[in-house]
Amino acid sequence: MAIIYEINPPKILDGETSDDKINASVEKLLQRVSDVSNFCDGIHVTDSVLGTKRVSALSIGRLLKNIHSNLQITISMRVRDKDMNLIKHLTQESIELKLDGILILKGDPSKENPIDSGLIPSQVVKELNESGYGNKIDFFLSLPSNPNFEKIQKKIAAKPKGFMTQVIHSTEQVQIISNELRPKGLRIIPCVLLPSDKNNNSAKFLQLDWSNYKENPSNFIKQIHNISGDVLVTSPNDFTFAKETLMKI
């Protein structure tokens, strides 16, 4: 059972060649994690959201595990721009770093590298498990906030440790998913986007209705945690509000 805070590695902008700038951004991110490390159980590091080039999730995961060995550290891994050999290599690195889990996902197209490997996340998890990696690290797959359970049977058959959901906005969504999947031994980690003005563009992009919990997000997160046993808190554009909310929880 865990309250997990999601972080996005620093962007690598076109034409940016200064290691100093990138290092400064990484240091700022590490400081933020230190600021909330006493108020959460884990950190999840994303991988090039929306195809935007960023410092690798594995690199950030390595730093965090060295600094915060008490925290659960999980990372996302895109399969769109990787082949199975590279995926297995990165998985082995994650195991050696003693990371706690990997969210295997398709990933959005990248402007720099529009090639699609054709790999499907559930098939990747299945092959990794069959190769024995699942005995050494937990694999997760993504799940819609309102899933059609008949259409996700291949995901379940891949035998992930569990699922990280897309952004949810109600306890009912979580209750339905938990009732269906937790009895199967699957860990459910619902994602909650914190309601702040700075996160409003993200909410609009996701067509998210946060009216159910806008007035008391910390209480909403507690309710979700009570249902599923886990929750992933994301606040991509408002760290101050994220810290305040985590402290209240």
Side-chain angles (χ1 to χ4, degrees):
M1 299 178 68
I3 293 175
I4 304 162
Y5 178 55
E6 182 181 76
I7 61 171
N8 298 315
K11 295 178 181 178
I12 300 177
L13 303 176
D14 290 339
E16 185 174 71
T17 57
S18 172
D19 288 341
D20 289 341
K21 287 184 179 180
I22 296 174
N23 290 339
S25 296
V26 170
E27 286 299 321
K28 181 178 180 180
L29 182 67
L30 295 178
Q31 182 58 55
R32 286 183 169 182
V33 172
S34 293
D35 289 346
V36 299
S37 60
N38 291 326
F39 312 117
C40 62
D41 307 294
I43 299 292
H44 180 72
V45 189
T46 64
D47 184 10
S48 298
V49 176
L50 301 180
T52 302
K53 188 176 182 182
R54 295 176 181 267
V55 175
S56 79
L58 186 59
S59 296
I60 299 298
R62 176 186 291 108
L63 293 171
L64 291 176
K65 203 62 179 177
N66 286 336
I67 299 170
H68 302 285
S69 58
N70 59 311
L71 291 178
Q72 298 174 30
I73 306 296
T74 56
I75 63 172
S76 292
M77 185 190 297
R78 293 161 49 96
V79 302
R80 177 183 291 275
D81 46 15
K82 298 176 180 67
D83 60 26
M84 276 306 303
N85 286 333
L86 178 56
I87 289 170
K88 288 181 178 180
H89 173 74
L90 295 174
T91 299
Q92 183 59 40
E93 277 196 58
S94 300
I95 292 169
E96 292 171 1
L97 292 171
K98 298 183 179 179
L99 299 187
D100 297 278
I102 304 174
L103 170 62
I104 304 291
L105 73 172
K106 183 70 174 181
D108 300 296
S110 168
K111 294 179 181 178
E112 292 82 12
N113 183 13
I115 297 174
D116 187 344
S117 66
L119 292 174
I120 298 172
S122 58
Q123 292 178 348
V124 170
V125 169
K126 184 175 185 291
E127 184 169 340
L128 290 171
N129 277 329
E130 289 174 347
S131 299
Y133 292 100
N135 296 324
K136 301 174 183 178
I137 194 168
D138 292 338
F139 296 115
F140 297 89
L141 287 168
S142 63
L143 192 71
S145 54
N146 295 297
N148 180 326
F149 294 109
E150 291 183 2
K151 292 184 177 180
I152 65 166
Q153 291 306 307
K154 287 185 178 180
K155 289 189 175 186
I156 295 172
K159 297 183 178 179
K161 178 69 174 180
F163 294 96
M164 293 189 185
T165 78
Q166 295 175 2
V167 176
I168 57 97
H169 63 256
S170 74
T171 57
E172 289 77 15
Q173 289 175 308
V174 179
Q175 192 71 66
I176 290 169
I177 294 172
S178 294
N179 288 349
E180 179 70 24
L181 299 180
R182 289 190 74 189
K184 293 179 169 62
L186 293 161
R187 186 177 173 190
I188 305 302
I189 306 177
C191 180
V192 176
L193 174 66
L194 292 186
S196 88
D197 290 340
K198 292 181 179 180
N199 288 330
N200 201 42
N201 286 339
S202 296
K204 288 181 179 178
F205 177 78
L206 296 168
Q207 297 182 318
L208 176 67
D209 175 15
W210 54 30
S211 58
N212 283 337
Y213 65 96
K214 188 173 183 179
E215 299 305 317
N216 195 342
S218 59
N219 186 59
F220 179 70
I221 291 169
K222 289 178 184 178
Q223 291 176 16
I224 298 304
H225 189 266
N226 287 338
I227 296 169
S228 63
D230 292 284
V231 64
L232 177 66
V233 177
T234 185
S235 182
N237 300 303
D238 197 340
F239 171 72
T240 299
F241 187 58
K243 182 180 177 181
E244 291 172 354
T245 304
L246 289 170
M247 289 176 68
K248 288 181 180 178
I249 298 170

